[in-house]
Amino acid sequence: MRYRVGVDLGGTAIKMGLFTNKGELLDCWSIKTNTSNNGEKILIDIAKSVSVKLAMKGIDKKQVEGLGIGIPGSVNHGIVDKCINLGWGSINIEKELGTLSGLKVYAENDANVAALGEYEGGSGSKYSSILFMTLGTGVGGGLIIDGKIIQGFCGCGGEIGHITVNPDEKLSCNCGKKGCLEQYTSATGIRRIALEMLDEDKEESSLREYGDELTTKDIFDEAKKGDIIANKVVDYSMTILARVASNICHVVNPEAVILGGGVANAGDFLIDKIEDKFNKGNIYISGDTKICLASLGEKAGIYGACYLVKK
Amino acid sequence: MRYRVGVDLGGTAIKMGLFTNKGELLDCWSIKTNTSNNGEKILIDIAKSVSVKLAMKGIDKKQVEGLGIGIPGSVNHGIVDKCINLGWGSINIEKELGTLSGLKVYAENDANVAALGEYEGGSGSKYSSILFMTLGTGVGGGLIIDGKIIQGFCGCGGEIGHITVNPDEKLSCNCGKKGCLEQYTSATGIRRIALEMLDEDKEESSLREYGDELTTKDIFDEAKKGDIIANKVVDYSMTILARVASNICHVVNPEAVILGGGVANAGDFLIDKIEDKFNKGNIYISGDTKICLASLGEKAGIYGACYLVKK
């Protein structure tokens, strides 16, 4: 029997999965991300946790084909340029984690890795090419064509969250630009839009009862129940998302667009809100690019990391 | 000695080139496109013209590795879906032209082929990946990554002219949508913007002297001389172009963006008008994507068609 390890390194937790070399998940677990002292312990913690797990399972490292890892930053030929969330500067992660773990390591940007997970093991598995859009605290993405991640020449492929959609925006995005997709379609962005609309629009709305505790999930839940302002918020946000998705399709014409991240938990309601606008935007494209939900949820990252390991 | 033939099939003329199999252009010529009777003579005319040229040069067809051809429509695995400019419905062009010419035929969308030409033999030849944007009567494009055209799952990759940049536009694009990139950055679009600005803005302008004869070349020429309205027109158009180029870079992170087509004849002045806005839009992308002019001019199509021929 041969195995692979998939690691999804996030700012607060590190998810890990033990897989067969056919991509079957045998076990998954997670540890906290220790970002103290510029995250100097992170790779050591990962190596230790993987070693312990393999020992517990009686697996020799020689049986492990490799360890794939998704990083919350751009990765260029195995080297992380910098990673603000983790406190890292430039690190050759494939080399360093390779030495620490005794395994062959393959590293990539986390959103690209999640895209690969959905492509190989999730709802993208029936398509030849996909655009993956992940709508969480931020907005990320990944493009997979014929099984290959489009990394970009310096590892910045799939950075769709910082596409400019509104050049007239007054508020700044975390990236320093103004009017990025992330500002309108992330969980944070959708909540902000709702608070602004509630302030401007004096209409009665069930959203008002949530006060400061309002979450994006609440907004979608109330929209499903028919609340007018909640629906206005969702329509506004999803019109922008549909336009960007369609615009990207004009460039790379993928077979499917797959939506993941916390916002996509709104399910078919989300697809219903996007599909028509998306198809209208695609009118010139003769093919029918499908739009659908991701299916691996929070496990997309570890699945994709497993598939990073080259056969 | 071994050879290749490159064909650039346009709505009014068919450009052809005879190349060595190393991509060296030996001879180029063109014939008129006969679109009568739904373009039924087009492939016959191409086959005949190529055969005559080869005979004149004393080249046996066995010495010809293949014939590449760029088509003004989407091409999917050698099959043209439909091609309005030529009057064509669905045609298996690789098969039909192959039979008529006695050569192995490779077909692709014309803008994708021009992109390949610039990538292999033009100003893209020093980059690993390029986005080619061609600004002519319309706006087209092509994306080449590691030497491969990103065709898209149904041959619609690189259709950047119909990216929606202004959802509030009142005028319709040729494609039926409203607010497409082509409406603001094609030669036709730039001229329209100028006429509108001249109508709205009563300021003195040298552009007024051209009357109905005003061309996009005139607009750039007068902008270079300092005309205020001409500069406003160019700035407006190039701000949109820079934003779209930068947005595409967020998705595919190419090493260079290459501008071709008639509008790009404005030269370095065009690059100066775009570069700063483009770089600002790319702020989040850590790498330095270059923006530069195409170098093959109208020959990009035949060069690219030559490179379509697989070794």
Side-chain angles (χ1 to χ4, degrees):
Chain A
M1 190 78 157
R2 296 186 70 78
Y3 303 88
R4 293 177 179 188
V5 176
V7 179
D8 184 9
L9 172 50
T12 53
I14 305 167
K15 300 189 198 84
M16 290 183 260
L18 176 68
F19 294 83
T20 67
N21 69 343
K22 310 287 183 213
E24 190 193 350
L25 181 62
L26 300 173
D27 193 6
C28 62
W29 69 102
S30 75
I31 60 173
K32 278 196 183 166
T33 309
N34 181 353
T35 54
S36 61
N37 290 324
N38 294 324
E40 64 176 16
K41 287 274 190 273
I42 291 173
L43 296 184
I44 296 166
D45 290 348
I46 293 171
K48 199 181 289 174
S49 181
V50 169
S51 292
V52 167
K53 179 65 69 176
L54 293 175
M56 275 168 56
K57 299 273 182 186
I59 298 170
D60 192 287
K61 284 189 179 173
K62 284 182 191 145
Q63 291 172 272
V64 181
E65 290 181 346
L67 178 154
I69 182 167
I71 313 284
S74 65
V75 181
N76 196 2
H77 295 98
I79 298 167
V80 179
D81 185 28
K82 68 177 168 210
C83 195
I84 300 160
N85 291 351
L86 306 178
W88 286 359
S90 178
I91 292 185
N92 186 332
I93 188 162
E94 292 188 353
K95 194 174 160 197
E96 293 199 19
L97 185 56
T99 306
L100 288 166
S101 67
L103 298 171
K104 174 89 179 121
V105 172
Y106 303 85
E108 261 291 348
N109 168 268
D110 57 359
N112 285 346
V113 168
L116 184 64
E118 288 291 342
Y119 180 86
E120 293 285 357
S123 58
S125 62
K126 54 182 177 291
Y127 303 113
S128 60
S129 52
I130 64 162
L131 168 68
F132 177 65
M133 302 176 91
T134 172
L135 315 171
T137 313
V139 170
L143 191 62
I144 314 286
I145 299 178
D146 297 331
K148 277 186 66 176
I149 294 172
I150 302 297
Q151 297 176 293
F153 95 100
C154 59
C156 298
E159 284 291 354
I160 60 169
H162 302 283
I163 284 176
T164 302
V165 296
N166 177 11
D168 302 322
E169 177 64 60
K170 301 280 183 293
L171 289 175
S172 288
C173 179
N174 287 333
C175 76
K177 291 201 304 168
K178 285 175 182 168
C180 293
L181 178 65
E182 183 165 299
Q183 291 181 273
Y184 310 97
T185 61
S186 63
T188 331
I190 295 170
R191 183 176 180 275
R192 177 183 62 82
I193 295 165
L195 294 177
E196 284 177 12
M197 281 202 188
L198 287 168
D199 199 43
E200 284 165 20
D201 194 330
K202 295 304 169 201
E203 184 153 5
E204 200 38 59
S205 168
S206 50
L207 295 182
R208 298 193 192 280
E209 293 160 27
Y210 295 88
D212 275 356
E213 305 291 301
L214 183 72
T215 67
T216 302
K217 183 178 182 307
D218 301 330
I219 298 164
F220 276 97
D221 286 347
E222 296 299 337
K224 286 175 190 174
K225 289 184 208 157
D227 183 83
I228 290 171
I229 292 192
N231 273 287
K232 273 189 193 168
V233 173
V234 171
D235 284 337
Y236 177 79
S237 171
M238 293 305 122
T239 299
I240 293 171
L241 188 74
R243 188 166 69 241
V244 170
S246 162
N247 282 349
I248 296 174
C249 288
H250 281 75
V251 182
V252 288
N253 186 216
E255 196 169 358
V257 173
I258 294 179
L259 303 175
V263 173
N265 290 335
D268 291 337
F269 181 76
L270 185 84
I271 299 294
D272 290 345
K273 286 284 186 186
I274 296 174
E275 203 164 32
D276 186 47
K277 300 175 186 90
F278 174 72
N279 288 336
K280 273 188 193 148
N282 282 342
I283 200 163
Y284 187 80
I285 298 280
S286 57
D288 279 324
T289 297
K290 281 75 167 179
I291 190 155
C292 54
L293 296 169
S295 63
L296 297 177
E298 296 208 331
K299 293 203 174 76
I302 57 170
Y303 270 92
C306 158
Y307 284 104
L308 270 188
V309 177
K310 311 286 188 300
K311 282 153 209 163
Chain B
M1 189 76 157
R2 298 186 68 78
Y3 303 88
R4 294 177 179 189
V5 176
V7 179
D8 183 9
L9 172 50
T12 53
I14 305 168
K15 300 188 198 87
M16 291 183 260
L18 176 67
F19 294 84
T20 67
N21 69 343
K22 310 284 183 215
E24 190 192 349
L25 181 62
L26 301 173
D27 193 7
C28 62
W29 69 102
S30 74
I31 60 174
K32 276 194 184 166
T33 310
N34 181 353
T35 54
S36 62
N37 289 323
N38 293 323
E40 63 177 16
K41 287 273 190 276
I42 292 174
L43 295 185
I44 296 165
D45 290 348
I46 293 171
K48 198 181 289 174
S49 180
V50 169
S51 291
V52 168
K53 180 64 68 174
L54 293 176
M56 276 169 56
K57 299 271 180 185
I59 297 170
D60 191 288
K61 284 190 178 171
K62 283 181 193 147
Q63 292 173 272
V64 182
E65 289 181 344
L67 178 154
I69 182 168
I71 313 283
S74 66
V75 181
N76 197 1
H77 294 98
I79 297 167
V80 179
D81 185 28
K82 67 177 171 213
C83 195
I84 298 161
N85 290 352
L86 306 176
W88 287 359
S90 178
I91 290 183
N92 186 331
I93 190 161
E94 292 188 353
K95 196 173 158 198
E96 292 199 19
L97 185 57
T99 305
L100 288 166
S101 68
L103 298 171
K104 175 90 179 119
V105 172
Y106 303 84
E108 261 292 350
N109 167 268
D110 56 0
N112 285 346
V113 169
L116 184 64
E118 288 291 342
Y119 180 87
E120 294 284 359
S123 56
S125 63
K126 55 181 175 291
Y127 303 113
S128 61
S129 53
I130 64 162
L131 168 68
F132 177 65
M133 302 178 92
T134 170
L135 314 171
T137 314
V139 170
L143 190 63
I144 313 287
I145 300 178
D146 295 332
K148 277 187 66 176
I149 294 171
I150 301 298
Q151 296 176 293
F153 95 101
C154 60
C156 298
E159 284 292 352
I160 59 168
H162 302 284
I163 283 177
T164 303
V165 295
N166 177 10
D168 303 321
E169 177 63 60
K170 300 281 183 293
L171 289 175
S172 287
C173 178
N174 287 333
C175 77
K177 291 200 304 166
K178 286 173 181 168
C180 293
L181 178 66
E182 182 165 300
Q183 292 181 272
Y184 310 96
T185 61
S186 63
T188 332
I190 295 170
R191 182 177 181 275
R192 177 184 61 80
I193 294 165
L195 295 176
E196 284 177 12
M197 281 201 189
L198 287 168
D199 200 41
E200 283 164 22
D201 194 330
K202 295 305 169 198
E203 185 154 4
E204 199 39 59
S205 168
S206 50
L207 296 181
R208 298 194 192 279
E209 293 159 28
Y210 294 87
D212 276 355
E213 306 291 301
L214 182 72
T215 66
T216 301
K217 183 178 182 305
D218 302 329
I219 298 164
F220 276 96
D221 286 347
E222 296 299 337
K224 286 174 190 174
K225 287 184 210 156
D227 183 84
I228 290 171
I229 292 193
N231 273 289
K232 273 189 194 169
V233 173
V234 171
D235 284 336
Y236 177 79
S237 171
M238 293 306 122
T239 299
I240 293 172
L241 188 75
R243 188 166 69 241
V244 169
S246 162
N247 282 347
I248 296 174
C249 288
H250 281 76
V251 183
V252 288
N253 185 216
E255 195 169 357
V257 173
I258 293 178
L259 302 175
V263 173
N265 290 335
D268 290 337
F269 181 76
L270 185 83
I271 298 294
D272 289 344
K273 285 284 186 184
I274 296 174
E275 203 163 32
D276 185 48
K277 300 176 187 92
F278 174 73
N279 289 337
K280 274 188 193 149
N282 282 343
I283 200 164
Y284 188 79
I285 299 281
S286 58
D288 279 323
T289 296
K290 281 76 168 178
I291 191 154
C292 54
L293 295 168
S295 63
L296 297 176
E298 295 208 332
K299 292 202 175 78
I302 57 170
Y303 270 92
C306 157
Y307 284 104
L308 270 187
V309 177
K310 311 287 188 298
K311 282 154 210 160

